[in-house]
Amino acid sequence: MIDVQRINQRLTNCQQFIHPHRVSVAGRLVRVVGLTLEAVGVKAHVGSQCLVETAHGDLIAEVVGFSNEITFLMPEQSLQGVLPGARVVPLATKTRLPLSMDLLGRVVDGVGKPLDGKGPIKHAEDYQYNSKPINPLARRAISEPLDVGVRSINSFLTIGQGQRMGLFAGSGVGKSVLMGMMTRGTTADVIVVGLVGERGREVKEFIEEILGEQGRARSVVVAAPADNSPLMRLKGCETAVQISEYFRDQGLNVLLLIDSVTRYAQAQREIALAVGEPPATKGYPPSVFSKLPQLVERAGNGGDGQGSITAFFTVLTEGDDLQDPIADAARAILDGHVVLSRELSEAGHYPAVDIEASISRVMPMVTSEEHQELARQLKQVYSLYQQNKDLISIGAYSKGSDPRIDQAIQLLPVINFFLQQKMNEVIPYDQSLVQLQEIQSAAQAHAQNQHSAEH
């Protein structure tokens, strides 16, 4: 028998974010399949939490579905010690986040519990999950650029405050490093980083080496590594967004970095398939494509008196396939995408931003016509070289055949140097524009010299 008074006392002392006031009708476990618990007799709604009796103490699980009298639950931790016929006791209230300014500089797990050993997070108010979305007509328009400290993005893919961008890349091409560069160089007030479904080693490495002490002071890191349960990985993304919403409501401009939304989709796929939802596109059930826009749309500009959430959602393009179902769905609902090229990465070109395949859909709204024209002209020069690269490399192109190609050959080293940047280097937005103008001046000087030589 579960002692309800003992449970309540334990939760009050150890689970500081859960506040059970009473329990409802309890049930018992009848089946465990994979990571899914099946119980009968439980009267609890979808999304509520239950305590499950195990040989090693009480386990918290969330109701994710039901079929007739059977309730499906997904645990937050390992299922080790679960007993046949174990009691399942619904909790009256759900896990809440410790939202306060004391979150800055902290590392928490998928449900907001500290992982950094610095003690509990002081908080005066609790925010529930799934806060109401902002009326789209109440949002402020995107009108100001956000400096991310990365020259190639500032100049060719200018980001606006409140924009939602995708960061598309395969494994090992520099996603985490580029995210770290943005955390150091951005002018945003607060940085929220969600490391979801990635290697556990990367969490400490990102915090200590990539984020650094200076970046960590104004950051909150939410970590739900790959060895966490699907429920914790799912909550990891939602917790990162929830924390961002809190800081946005304080009137601050937030830079939200989630790595990766692909792992979020995979976690939802695991849960949905476990409770019987049929697969649709390449094994992904329909609920995955329903939850993606719900997550993305929570970012953006707030209303009057609120700040903004500028979000980068990394998308893992498995096998460098940009037509992967999640990549395709994300590209359709985001305000642009930055594509990292494996070819550039293998050539030692960092950050490996492919400016031909990348686009910022709000760049025209936050930049001057002169800036747009500069970026467009240099992008055309770069693209022209790429189109003729094979002919040039095998010597099939004769110098003087096409003045535009001659100009592209002359300017390519300059453009490549401009697009590259050291990991610890921060190049402000204004400086990026000045250097962009210098390249354009060099291009014009080259064209004039060509014209003079011909005459």
Side-chain angles (χ1 to χ4, degrees):
M1 294 283 294
I2 286 184
D3 186 342
V4 174
Q5 185 175 1
R6 177 179 62 83
I7 292 172
N8 287 349
Q9 184 62 40
R10 176 179 177 271
L11 289 173
T12 300
N13 295 337
C14 303
Q15 307 282 350
Q16 61 172 337
F17 312 130
I18 303 175
H19 307 283
H21 299 156
R22 61 181 179 82
V23 295
S24 185
V25 178
R28 61 185 178 85
L29 280 182
V30 294
R31 190 169 183 236
V32 176
V33 181
L35 293 176
T36 309
L37 306 174
E38 298 182 10
V40 296
V42 179
K43 299 297 181 182
H45 61 81
V46 173
S48 63
Q49 292 181 318
C50 298
L51 278 182
V52 180
E53 182 182 28
T54 77
H56 306 299
D58 304 317
L59 175 72
I60 297 177
E62 183 171 309
V63 178
V64 294
F66 59 86
S67 176
N68 295 325
E69 298 300 317
I70 298 177
T71 301
F72 300 108
L73 302 103
M74 191 68 65
E76 291 185 358
Q77 298 91 21
S78 168
L79 286 178
Q80 188 175 5
V82 172
L83 304 167
R87 289 287 300 274
V88 180
V89 182
L91 295 175
T93 56
K94 192 179 178 182
T95 302
R96 299 185 180 185
L97 290 174
L99 295 174
S100 73
M101 298 301 291
D102 287 338
L103 274 168
L104 293 175
R106 302 300 300 270
V107 183
V108 299
D109 68 6
V111 292
K113 298 176 186 176
L115 293 175
D116 50 14
K118 295 182 179 180
I121 299 168
K122 298 177 182 178
H123 60 289
E125 50 191 326
D126 293 330
Y127 273 42
Q128 293 188 6
Y129 285 105
N130 302 323
S131 59
K132 293 182 179 179
I134 298 177
N135 185 328
L137 298 181
R139 290 184 184 270
R140 300 190 314 279
I142 299 174
S143 58
E144 297 180 22
L146 178 72
D147 187 357
V148 294
V150 180
R151 182 165 50 197
S152 56
I153 295 178
N154 281 341
S155 53
F156 287 98
L157 306 165
T158 308
I159 307 301
Q161 280 187 9
Q163 184 173 358
R164 288 80 56 93
M165 287 287 285
L167 185 57
F168 290 71
S171 56
V173 296
K175 294 191 307 296
S176 298
V177 174
L178 180 57
M179 288 171 59
M181 291 171 69
M182 289 192 285
T183 59
R184 281 189 293 270
T186 184
T187 54
D189 302 313
V190 175
I191 302 156
V192 179
V193 182
L195 301 175
V196 177
E198 300 298 328
R199 295 182 291 274
R201 174 189 62 80
E202 286 189 332
V203 175
K204 187 172 184 179
E205 182 180 296
F206 184 89
I207 294 169
E208 295 184 356
E209 298 181 17
I210 298 178
L211 191 60
E213 188 173 336
Q214 184 178 359
R216 186 174 174 180
R218 56 172 175 156
S219 302
V220 183
V221 178
V222 180
D227 60 345
N228 281 193
S229 70
L231 184 65
M232 286 293 279
R233 281 180 269 138
L234 197 71
K235 284 181 176 293
C237 281
E238 295 171 355
T239 294
V241 176
Q242 185 80 40
I243 291 171
S244 300
E245 289 176 326
Y246 169 79
F247 287 114
R248 179 203 62 197
D249 292 344
Q250 311 308 308
L252 301 173
N253 293 319
V254 181
L255 177 63
L256 170 64
L257 305 170
I258 290 186
D259 184 17
S260 69
V261 75
T262 303
R263 305 304 187 196
Y264 174 80
Q266 290 173 348
Q268 174 60 21
R269 177 174 63 180
E270 291 179 48
I271 294 173
L273 294 179
V275 299
E277 187 178 353
T281 308
K282 290 191 178 180
Y284 288 99
S287 62
V288 171
F289 302 100
S290 173
K291 289 186 78 70
L292 278 177
Q294 292 176 13
L295 181 76
V296 170
E297 285 297 324
R298 291 170 66 180
N301 281 336
D304 294 336
Q306 294 180 316
S308 65
I309 302 174
T310 306
F312 278 83
F313 298 94
T314 70
V315 180
L316 183 62
T317 52
E318 299 180 5
D320 297 330
D321 180 15
L322 291 178
Q323 306 308 317
D324 174 87
I326 300 304
D328 199 42
R331 189 165 46 237
I333 58 177
L334 292 167
D335 301 324
H337 48 271
V338 177
V339 178
L340 300 187
S341 164
R342 187 173 298 279
E343 182 180 355
L344 291 173
S345 175
E346 290 173 348
H349 184 292
Y350 293 107
V353 176
D354 185 345
I355 60 171
E356 287 185 286
S358 306
I359 189 172
S360 171
R361 294 194 179 108
V362 304
M363 182 175 174
M365 306 177 198
V366 297
T367 56
S368 65
E369 291 186 6
E370 180 186 6
H371 180 179
Q372 296 167 41
E373 184 62 25
L374 281 173
R376 182 164 51 249
Q377 289 178 3
L378 291 179
K379 196 171 182 179
Q380 288 172 351
V381 171
Y382 181 86
S383 181
L384 182 63
Y385 180 89
Q386 299 303 320
Q387 293 167 16
N388 295 276
K389 181 170 64 174
D390 293 338
L391 291 175
I392 297 168
S393 61
I394 64 174
Y397 172 75
S398 300
K399 185 178 180 181
S401 301
D402 188 333
R404 296 181 307 147
I405 298 178
D406 291 342
Q407 182 189 46
I409 295 172
Q410 185 76 19
L411 288 178
L412 184 72
V414 180
I415 295 175
N416 278 337
F417 178 79
F418 177 82
L419 294 175
Q420 295 180 62
Q421 187 173 332
K422 295 179 181 178
M423 187 177 76
N424 296 319
E425 188 179 9
V426 175
I427 301 177
Y429 179 77
D430 292 339
Q431 185 178 339
S432 300
L433 296 190
V434 170
Q435 294 175 353
L436 189 69
Q437 179 66 57
E438 290 174 354
I439 296 179
Q440 178 62 17
S441 299
Q444 291 174 350
H446 179 270
Q448 289 174 359
N449 292 337
Q450 287 285 98
H451 183 73
S452 300
E454 291 174 359
H455 293 82

